[in-house]
């Protein structure tokens, strides 16, 4: 029986320059590997040590990148190690199999959203009507599934985010603030549902997960074991669960630690 490892990417395994959180003197900083280039500029990194650990993990388990990114945004990433057969994009809205979205899965997700929550258009209209141009830089729709704003974080009114969360909750949606992005996502659109589907297809009887944001909480709760870094929404809220380990590491070194934990958890299963 294989082990399934479903891990969030941004600020969990890969990091922008602004999110690296390297506090040691420059000569002692770890060597970094660029894993994403966008518009001819380096965008995301992991340490070289983490890159080797991820390669080892890909050989030892079914590694499933699990992200809120759209398919197009995900496909910009060039992770080290074996190419994953499965990937979860758009917060569970798309299940990629050998890089191609599974149409049956997408149809099931669409039916669930139509039945259980307010339509995307209503949420989009509310965001357009209430978010101020003084602090919103971009309005975006992702895969016709959810919406997000790119904001100037220092100008963003905290009260507005709280009010949006209450408004969304009453309509079957959830709100997550990650860096400079505010996500509004339908509650039935979850990474955990897609992870369970991959576990069913692969026959995995042990599931491991990692993530840093509110949108990763359901994934961590659904896995047999989970890890979260010392930064991000979950750490800020001191969020914990019985099978989830809260790690002290922050920034890119947390990605290294998470991969070490995955490999430690996979090793006894392989030996058995």
């Amino acid at each position: 029986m294989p082990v399934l490892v479903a891990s969030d990417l941004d600020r969990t395994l890969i990091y922008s320059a602004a999110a690296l959180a390297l506090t040691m003197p420059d000569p002692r900083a770890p060597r970094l590997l660029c894993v994403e280039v966008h518009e001819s500029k380096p965008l995301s990194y992991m340490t070289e040590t983490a890159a080797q650990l991820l390669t080892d993990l890909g050989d030892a388990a079914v590694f499933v990148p699990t992200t809120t990114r759209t398919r197009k945004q995900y496909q910009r990433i060039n992770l080290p190690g074996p190419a994953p057969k499965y990937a979860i994009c758009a917060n569970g809205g798309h299940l990629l199999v050998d890089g191609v979205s599974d149409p049956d899965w997408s149809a099931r997700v669409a039916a669930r959203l139509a039945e259980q929550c307010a339509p995307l258009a209503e949420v989009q209209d509310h965001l357009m009507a209430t978010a101020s141009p003084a602090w919103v830089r971009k309005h975006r729709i992702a895969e016709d599934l959810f919406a997000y704003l790119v904001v100037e974080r220092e100008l963003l009114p905290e009260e507005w985010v709280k009010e949006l969360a209450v408004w969304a909750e009453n309509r079957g949606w959830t709100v997550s603030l990650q860096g400079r992005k505010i996500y509004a996502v339908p509650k039935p659109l979850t990474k955990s549902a897609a992870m369970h589907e991959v576990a069913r297809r692969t026959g995995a009887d042990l599931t491991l997960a990692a993530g840093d944001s509110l949108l990763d909480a359901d994934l961590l709760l659904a896995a047999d074991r989970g890890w979260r870094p010392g930064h991000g929404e979950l750490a800020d809220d001191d969020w914990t669960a019985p099978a989830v380990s809260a790690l002290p590491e922050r920034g890119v070194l947390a990605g290294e630690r998470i991969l070490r934990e995955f490999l430690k958890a996979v090793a006894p299963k392989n030996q058995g």
Side-chain angles (χ1 to χ4, degrees):
M1 291 286 188
V3 180
L4 189 155
V5 178
S7 181
D8 177 50
L9 296 178
D10 293 279
R11 290 169 57 87
T12 298
L13 294 188
I14 69 174
Y15 291 79
S16 68
L20 291 172
L22 294 172
T23 57
M24 70 287 289
D26 289 348
R28 291 173 52 201
R31 284 165 57 102
L32 300 173
L33 176 70
C34 177
V35 294
E36 180 185 12
V37 174
H38 182 47
E39 295 178 346
S40 302
K41 296 177 182 176
L43 198 62
S44 298
Y45 304 86
M46 58 198 320
T47 68
E48 287 191 348
T49 299
Q52 182 58 57
L53 292 169
L54 181 55
T55 300
D56 295 343
L57 183 66
D59 290 333
V62 178
F63 172 65
V64 184
T66 305
T67 180
T68 304
R69 286 182 178 229
T70 64
R71 288 170 289 174
K72 185 177 180 181
Q73 291 167 336
Y74 166 69
Q75 286 161 352
R76 295 197 305 246
I77 303 170
N78 185 14
L79 292 172
K85 180 174 180 62
Y86 296 98
I88 296 166
C89 294
N91 213 62
H94 285 280
L95 175 57
L96 305 190
V97 183
D98 295 323
V100 178
S101 184
D102 183 301
D104 291 339
W105 177 256
S106 298
R108 284 160 58 186
V109 168
R112 205 157 57 234
L113 299 191
E115 182 182 322
Q116 298 179 25
C117 51
L120 173 61
E122 181 181 339
V123 176
Q124 185 181 14
D125 289 346
H126 183 79
L127 291 173
M128 294 294 290
T130 62
S132 170
W135 41 265
V136 172
R137 293 297 167 257
K138 297 174 185 175
H139 287 261
R140 291 286 184 265
I141 298 298
E143 303 271 22
D144 291 324
L145 290 168
F146 61 90
Y148 65 94
L149 306 177
V150 181
V151 301
E152 293 292 345
R153 184 69 180 262
E154 62 275 10
L155 301 177
L156 177 67
E158 193 174 307
E159 199 57 37
W160 181 86
V161 179
K162 292 178 181 176
E163 289 171 2
L164 175 64
V166 172
W167 182 91
E169 173 77 23
N170 293 331
R171 287 158 180 81
W173 287 63
T174 189
V175 171
S176 175
L177 176 60
Q178 301 179 42
R180 294 177 58 238
K181 292 179 179 177
I182 299 171
Y183 291 91
V185 178
K187 283 189 176 182
L189 187 68
T190 64
K191 294 177 177 180
S192 62
M195 180 193 73
H196 282 312
E197 176 65 11
V198 178
R200 185 188 68 80
R201 295 186 187 194
T202 59
D205 65 345
L206 176 65
T207 54
L208 311 175
D212 70 296
S213 83
L214 182 62
L215 294 175
D216 297 312
D218 72 281
L219 178 70
L220 294 171
L221 290 170
D224 294 311
R225 291 186 64 189
W227 292 266
R228 69 156 174 82
H231 60 256
E233 274 184 312
L234 297 179
D236 291 345
D237 289 345
D238 200 24
W239 182 90
T240 56
V244 178
S245 300
L247 302 175
E249 289 86 354
R250 301 169 58 87
V252 72
L253 294 180
E256 228 178 77
R257 172 70 185 275
I258 286 166
L259 287 164
R260 291 186 197 280
E261 296 298 327
F262 282 150
L263 281 165
K264 280 198 291 186
V266 168
K269 188 73 168 55
N270 286 347
Q271 290 165 5

